[in-house]
Each structure stands twice: as structure tokens, then as C-alpha cells.
Amino acid sequence: MPELPEVETTCRGIRPHVQGRRLTRMVVRNPRLRVPVVAELPTHVEGGTLEAVDRRAKYLLLRFAAGTVIVHLGMSGSLRLVAAAEPAGAHDHVDFVFAEQALRLRDPRRFGMVVWQPASAAVHPLLASLGPEPLGDDFDAAYLLRVTRGLRAPIKHVLMDSRKLVGVGNIYASESLFRARIHPLEPAGLLGPRRCARLVDCVRETLAAAIEAGGSTLRDFVGGDGQPGYFQQQYFVYSRDDEPCRICATPVRRIVSAQRATFYCPRCQRRS
């Protein structure tokens, strides 16, 4: 599933081409996504100006004067800039048409969402209970220390809890913990101020590097320009089980925690 870097890559890729432009038409070929596209959505946005293209967590926000279209890419979706006249494929479900160009949602598994929220997007149930952005000012060592006090849950689970921190999924949690030299199953409440500060820095570094590389393409992801991401070439541990650690040459291990594959180096990331 696309995580924060992939969504941010899409956001930055499409923003210069459509922000400030008038939406001439919205085409919904197949409304049967994870949350069905409501029939009246085109009437809310057609003829309006797309005032801003933003991201919140793993959601794209297309902001109009009347409200916001909230887009989630699901497991296999992409939102790409194409020529409006380009024939649609079998999995091209929604177009936002701006004269000769269109933003096209392709979603083979139909796990994505295109949701309308009048007025403020922040109050929508998808967004209202989300934690801070990992690249924002609210995520710092003091915050991480505070929200982990007394927790026995593994620190990797905490990083992936969107109520505490948004946008950090399985890939980037594993990679951030390796950079911080913290075992993924370390009880979150055992992290002191120094390790919290180091982990915050490593989460930021990992996400920034991934965004710079255009995100990760493991299966279907492409950015707004249709190009894949390349951060998977820089992975330290994710999906590298039994391969030598890039730092110490110890074989990377794979375990399953909370039904998710977890990767770590047993030498670089020891339990306390």
C-alpha cells in the first residue's frame, strides 16, 4: 500500500499542473471503489477551481471552494496526469478533467477512495482522529517520549499507529528503526529521551530520502508523472531477509508481528 512518501511524491508531481485550474469535467466510470463514489460528486466540483493540492497522512486532498475531494490510493492505485483524450483502460475509474489534461485514478484492486467533504476536510471521520505528521513540527522527541510512556506495545507498532503518527507504514517503520539501531519489538515505554530523539531524526531522514527517490515501487505504484519510485534500491532491511546487513554483514531476519512481516538486523538492532 502506498505510504507517505508515495502519496507525497504524487502530490508534488501533480500540483504544478492542476492547482489553480478550472475543473471542466469529472468522469466516474466505475463508482464501486472501497467506499462508493457518490453520484452527486461531479456536480459539487465541475466548473470550480482547484484551489490547492495537499496531503494529510496517506490521503490526497483536492481542495475546492465548496469543499474537498479526499483521495486514497488503496493498495494498488495511482493518480496520474494524462492527456484528457487518452483512452481509458479497464482499471481507470475516475478522471478529473482540466481542459486538455486530466488526473486519472487507476486502481486495479478498487481499494481506493474518492470521497467528498464539504467545508473543512479536517473534520471528516477519515482525518479527524489522525496523529501528527512525521515531517511536521508537532512530531519531536518530547512528543514521542510522552506518547510512549507506559506502553508495552512494540515500538514498531506505535510508529504504525495512525492515531499517534501518520503515514509511516511497514516499510518505513522497519527502515527508520534500523537507522536508529532500535529493535522493532522493543517495548515502546522503554525508550528514553536519547533514543526517542534519535528515532525522530531517523524517521524524518528515512521519509525525506524516500521522497527524494520518488517513493518505493514494489508492485504497481507510479507517481503523478507515471514514473516508478526507486527507494527500494536503498533498503537496509525491508524485504532483505537472509541477505547480509549493509552495515555489519549479519543476515537480516524476518519475523511476523501483528500479522505483518518485520525485518531487522539482529546485531545492529539488539533488544535492551
Side-chain angles (χ1 to χ4, degrees), residues 68-88:
T68 301
V69 180
I70 303 172
V71 179
H72 192 279
L73 298 178
M75 296 183 67
S76 59
S78 63
L79 191 63
R80 300 179 300 121
L81 191 71
V82 300
E86 181 179 315

Side-chain angles (χ1 to χ4, degrees), residues 1-13 55 57-60 73-74 77-79 167-172 206-207 210-218 220-224 227-232 235:
M1 181 177 292
E3 299 182 23
L4 184 153
E6 289 75 49
V7 182
E8 182 66 20
T9 295
T10 298
C11 184
R12 295 183 185 186
R55 177 193 57 77
K58 301 177 185 180
Y59 298 94
L60 285 163
L73 298 178
S78 63
L79 191 63
V168 181
N170 201 24
I171 294 173
Y172 300 109
T206 300
L207 294 176
I211 293 169
E212 181 68 22
S216 298
T217 295
L218 301 183
D220 305 300
F221 172 74
V222 294
Q227 297 301 309
Y230 295 98
F231 188 67
Q232 65 274 11
Y235 289 170

Side-chain angles (χ1 to χ4, degrees), residues 23-254:
L23 181 72
T24 53
R25 189 163 53 102
M26 182 178 178
V27 180
V28 181
R29 299 183 187 85
N30 185 354
R32 297 187 303 276
L33 304 181
R34 177 156 52 116
V35 174
V37 182
V38 295
E40 62 271 21
L41 178 51
T43 65
H44 292 310
V45 294
E46 287 181 343
T49 297
L50 179 55
E51 297 181 346
V53 179
D54 297 320
R55 177 193 57 77
R56 177 69 169 115
K58 301 177 185 180
Y59 298 94
L60 285 163
L61 307 179
L62 307 181
R63 301 185 189 273
F64 296 83
T68 301
V69 180
I70 303 172
V71 179
H72 192 279
L73 298 178
M75 296 183 67
S76 59
S78 63
L79 191 63
R80 300 179 300 121
L81 191 71
V82 300
E86 181 179 315
H91 304 300
D92 294 336
H93 304 310
V94 178
D95 279 7
F96 299 90
V97 182
F98 301 85
E100 76 288 351
Q101 291 183 312
L103 286 179
R104 178 164 291 173
L105 177 67
R106 174 172 294 175
D107 188 359
R109 301 186 187 184
R110 290 191 287 115
F111 272 35
M113 291 184 284
V114 178
V115 178
W116 173 248
Q117 171 60 30
S120 172
V123 301
H124 192 281
L126 290 170
L127 308 181
S129 62
L130 293 178
E133 292 282 337
L135 298 177
D137 294 338
D138 291 337
F139 179 58
D140 57 17
Y143 170 81
L144 185 59
L145 185 67
R146 183 172 70 255
V147 299
T148 54
R149 292 313 84 194
L151 293 184
R152 296 183 179 181
I155 184 57
K156 180 169 181 274
H157 298 185
V158 174
L159 291 181
M160 295 175 61
D161 182 350
S162 63
R163 297 166 299 179
K164 293 183 173 63
L165 185 68
V166 300
V168 181
N170 201 24
I171 294 173
Y172 300 109
S174 294
E175 290 297 302
S176 297
L177 288 164
F178 175 83
R179 291 182 183 223
R181 303 298 189 265
I182 296 173
H183 194 287
L185 300 186
E186 181 82 349
L190 295 184
L191 268 63
R194 285 190 296 179
R195 287 204 291 175
C196 282
R198 187 167 73 243
L199 182 53
V200 166
D201 288 343
C202 290
V203 168
R204 291 176 177 273
E205 290 170 4
T206 300
L207 294 176
I211 293 169
E212 181 68 22
S216 298
T217 295
L218 301 183
R219 292 181 181 172
D220 305 300
F221 172 74
V222 294
D225 58 359
Q227 297 301 309
Y230 295 98
F231 188 67
Q232 65 274 11
Q233 298 174 6
Q234 302 178 36
Y235 289 170
F236 284 103
V237 290
Y238 186 81
S239 199
R240 297 191 65 245
D241 41 313
D242 298 326
E243 296 182 31
C245 171
R246 299 189 191 277
I247 302 300
C248 71
T250 301
V252 171
R253 289 185 185 173
R254 178 187 184 276

